[in-house]
Amino acid sequence: MSALRKKFGDDYQVVTTSSSGSGFNQPPAEKKKKRQRFVDKNGRCNVQHGNLGGETSRYLSDLFTTLVDLKWRWNLFIFILTYTVAWLFMASMWWFIAYIRGDLNKAHNDKYTPCVANVYNFPSAFLFFIETEATIGYGYRYITDKCPEGIILFLFQSILGSIVDAFLIGCMFIKMSQPKKRAETLMFSEHAAISMRDGKLTLMFRVGNLRNSHMVSAQIRCKLLKSRQTPEGEFLPLDQLELDVGFSTGADQLFLVSPLTICHVIDTKSPFYDLSQRSMQTEQFEIVVILEGIVETTGMTCQARTSYTEDEVLWGHRFFPVISLEEGFFKVDYSQFHATFEVPTPPYSVKEQEEALLLSSPLMAPSLCNSGEKNSSLDCLETLEDNDSTTKLPTKLQKITGRDGLPKKLLRMSSTTSEMTYSFGDLPMKLQRISSVPGVSEDKQAGKTCKISTEPISKSVADLPPKLQRLAGGGGGRMDGHLPPKLRKMNSDRFT
């Protein structure tokens, strides 16, 4: 089934039709057992650290980060517990001073000057501490100058209270201002899709920003988690491979003001080079997507994560467009953010498509010489000699023309970078006509196609004297023995 989207005014309607022209029938996919994910859809990593042994003391060395990383219920519990213990401890210290000095028994004596006025039991000592710590200052309970130990305790109380306030209030502030909640307004599509885009098989998924505030310097990365075994036999349970989503072209730097479709082109460098629609039913992998950026309002770095397993990758699907032009602005329809529709897509992998393309294209000799690089005529002639047996000359005529048995070193010496030709200017005219076989031509431009004619050579042989015609026709024996001494010497020098 393929889905067609039609627009009627401001509303969109999805119309389903038969996909007879899709070119292939998708086999019914068997339901696979749901496996454990490494990263949940909400970005939480399913990793627990166990058997730490003595390494747990490392958490105490970074106590502030440990408190910030705790859950909210534990943060609130530690916050309340710390203040309660500190207040009870300091109230006990003031009560203990009053008890040692005997102020509790002489509290109602007007002629006696206590350490703290109007402190005659533990509740009154606790109230004095709270009034002092919170700087309430009711004025009924106050410290006198007749108590040096009380002055020292008051200084200690002020220092300790400032430290506790800075530590706990700082933890709560950092906890509340963490940009994790900002990631809740960054959306990822529920599924990823594989289809053709710009003539290439492409893996696609969609990201969006629900807030009007922008993500500054937004960047996206993708990791492929897949188990594999090395040639040495080592098993890697969660091997991480990088998926290129435009790092070389800068496409990974996002201007995230409207939903964007992130693309990974499947080519020879992609880990999905040999992935096909059929192999997806047996493959097990997980694509982890990481979106990072700076929150415009707070200036803090925010990271949003999600993942796609092999069951969440739809082959032959494409995302619906969600942006429409209205009067004076662009409207984003988030109701179609996760919607996809089927499109004709080859069920084969890129590797299989390239192999099929190589097998379907004929391997012709001229095409071997018609390349972007400068190929010498010698290589072209060798290729043509191997592929075309109908244009071969008789054996003895090949010895005269140099087509057979001539050392390659001499051929290279008589060639240039742009044109490789045989030089027989020293031979007589009739032998030169033998050497220049009719129909054989070379393009004088470097790198052009080498052509050789399939016309018979009988015309050139017919121009020879009868004696040479018999020799060229294979009358037996070596031709050097029937040539004049001068020609035999010239021929032997050339073939040396």
Side-chain angles (χ1 to χ4, degrees):
M1 301 294 292
S2 65
L4 301 177
R5 188 183 183 204
K6 295 183 178 180
K7 179 178 180 182
F8 301 95
D10 295 334
D11 298 329
Y12 292 89
Q13 182 179 0
V14 177
V15 182
T16 58
T17 60
S18 60
S19 60
S20 57
S22 60
F24 62 93
N25 295 325
Q26 297 184 1
E30 298 180 358
K31 292 185 178 180
K32 298 170 61 176
K33 184 180 179 181
K34 186 177 180 180
R35 64 182 183 88
Q36 181 64 45
R37 307 175 70 103
F38 186 75
V39 178
D40 288 337
K41 297 295 288 184
N42 58 3
R44 186 178 65 89
C45 298
N46 293 320
V47 178
Q48 294 184 358
H49 304 282
N51 298 327
L52 295 177
E55 302 297 331
T56 54
S57 59
R58 295 176 179 266
Y59 291 99
L60 298 178
S61 62
D62 189 11
L63 185 59
F64 186 83
T65 306
T66 302
L67 293 178
V68 173
D69 289 340
L70 291 177
K71 295 182 178 181
W72 269 107
R73 55 177 176 266
W74 293 109
N75 276 105
L76 294 176
F77 175 76
I78 293 176
F79 184 86
I80 296 173
L81 180 65
T82 303
Y83 272 109
T84 302
V85 171
W87 291 347
L88 293 176
F89 173 75
M90 295 305 301
S92 301
M93 294 296 296
W94 286 111
W95 177 85
F96 182 74
I97 290 177
Y99 176 78
I100 294 297
R101 289 175 55 90
D103 296 342
L104 300 179
N105 299 327
K106 303 176 182 179
H108 301 285
N109 189 356
D110 297 335
K111 297 181 180 180
Y112 179 76
T113 304
C115 182
V116 180
N118 300 316
V119 172
Y120 41 85
N121 54 19
F122 183 80
S124 59
F126 184 79
L127 289 176
F128 169 75
F129 166 76
I130 295 298
E131 294 172 11
T132 306
E133 180 67 22
T135 64
I136 297 176
Y138 291 117
Y140 182 70
R141 296 178 181 88
Y142 54 91
I143 189 172
T144 62
D145 55 354
K146 301 298 183 179
C147 182
E149 60 271 19
I151 297 175
I152 296 175
L153 181 60
F154 178 76
L155 296 176
F156 177 74
Q157 170 187 322
S158 301
I159 296 174
L160 181 62
S162 300
I163 293 176
V164 173
D165 291 342
F167 194 82
L168 293 181
I169 296 177
C171 287
M172 298 298 291
F173 177 79
I174 295 298
K175 184 75 173 177
M176 289 185 294
S177 62
Q178 275 187 323
K180 290 183 179 181
K181 294 301 179 182
R182 178 63 176 90
E184 299 293 335
T185 55
L186 297 175
M187 292 181 60
F188 297 92
S189 58
E190 294 179 353
H191 296 86
I194 294 180
S195 62
M196 301 298 295
R197 170 175 282 195
D198 296 330
K200 299 179 181 179
L201 196 64
T202 307
L203 170 70
M204 297 174 286
F205 58 91
R206 179 175 280 173
V207 296
N209 182 16
L210 297 180
R211 290 186 179 273
N212 292 329
S213 59
H214 299 170
M215 292 291 295
V216 183
S217 301
Q219 184 180 12
I220 194 164
R221 295 181 292 120
C222 291
K223 294 286 186 179
L224 175 64
L225 304 181
K226 185 178 179 181
S227 301
R228 69 180 184 92
Q229 188 172 6
T230 62
E232 295 79 13
E234 181 184 4
F235 179 72
L236 304 177
L238 289 174
D239 188 29
Q240 298 187 11
L241 301 176
E242 187 75 21
L243 292 181
D244 187 10
V245 289
F247 177 76
S248 58
T249 60
D252 60 333
Q253 304 291 333
L254 307 181
F255 182 53
L256 196 59
V257 296
S258 62
L260 298 177
T261 301
I262 310 301
C263 299
H264 166 69
V265 178
I266 302 178
D267 52 12
T268 56
K269 298 180 181 180
S270 173
F272 295 133
Y273 178 60
D274 55 352
L275 180 67
S276 63
Q277 184 182 10
R278 178 177 298 179
S279 63
M280 279 187 58
Q281 301 177 3
T282 57
E283 289 282 347
Q284 286 191 355
F285 60 85
E286 185 172 350
I287 303 172
V288 179
V289 181
I290 305 172
L291 175 61
E292 293 179 337
I294 301 175
V295 181
E296 187 180 32
T297 54
T298 62
M300 303 183 69
T301 303
C302 174
Q303 184 181 94
R305 297 182 296 266
T306 190
S307 68
Y308 301 98
T309 60
E310 67 279 357
D311 298 330
E312 297 170 345
V313 179
L314 305 178
W315 189 281
H317 282 246
R318 186 181 299 165
F319 288 100
F320 274 117
V322 295
I323 302 179
S324 61
L325 179 60
E326 304 294 337
E327 295 183 0
F329 61 93
F330 292 91
K331 181 181 179 180
V332 179
D333 183 12
Y334 277 98
S335 63
Q336 302 292 338
F337 183 83
H338 303 285
T340 61
F341 62 96
E342 295 183 6
V343 292
T345 304
Y348 309 106
S349 64
V350 176
K351 181 179 180 181
E352 293 172 348
Q353 295 180 29
E354 292 181 354
E355 292 177 351
L357 183 61
L358 292 176
L359 293 177
S360 61
S361 60
L363 299 177
M364 301 192 62
S367 64
L368 298 177
C369 300
N370 189 14
S371 60
E373 301 178 356
K374 292 185 177 181
N375 298 330
S376 63
S377 300
L378 176 60
D379 298 334
C380 299
L381 287 174
E382 290 178 352
T383 306
L384 292 174
E385 289 174 357
D386 294 338
N387 296 335
D388 194 355
S389 61
T390 60
T391 58
K392 286 187 178 180
L393 301 178
T395 305
K396 293 191 175 182
L397 194 57
Q398 291 176 4
K399 295 179 180 179
I400 297 177
T401 60
R403 291 286 305 275
D404 187 17
L406 186 63
K408 296 181 180 179
K409 183 177 181 180
L410 293 179
L411 291 176
R412 297 192 189 98
M413 293 172 62
S414 62
S415 62
T416 62
T417 59
S418 62
E419 181 181 5
M420 302 285 288
T421 58
Y422 301 108
S423 177
F424 293 94
D426 296 337
L427 296 178
M429 295 300 298
K430 290 187 177 182
L431 290 182
Q432 291 180 16
R433 286 198 296 270
I434 298 174
S435 305
S436 59
V437 181
V440 178
S441 63
E442 298 176 354
D443 199 326
K444 293 184 179 182
Q445 296 180 357
K448 296 295 183 179
T449 305
C450 300
K451 299 180 180 179
I452 184 167
S453 175
T454 57
E455 297 179 2
I457 64 171
S458 59
K459 293 181 180 181
S460 298
V461 179
D463 296 337
L464 297 177
K467 185 175 181 180
L468 291 180
Q469 290 180 10
R470 288 193 300 272
L471 294 175
R478 289 184 53 83
M479 188 169 180
D480 293 348
H482 298 281
L483 293 176
K486 183 177 180 179
L487 293 179
R488 185 167 62 248
K489 183 175 183 303
M490 293 171 59
N491 194 25
S492 61
D493 293 339
R494 183 171 298 279
F495 283 83
T496 303

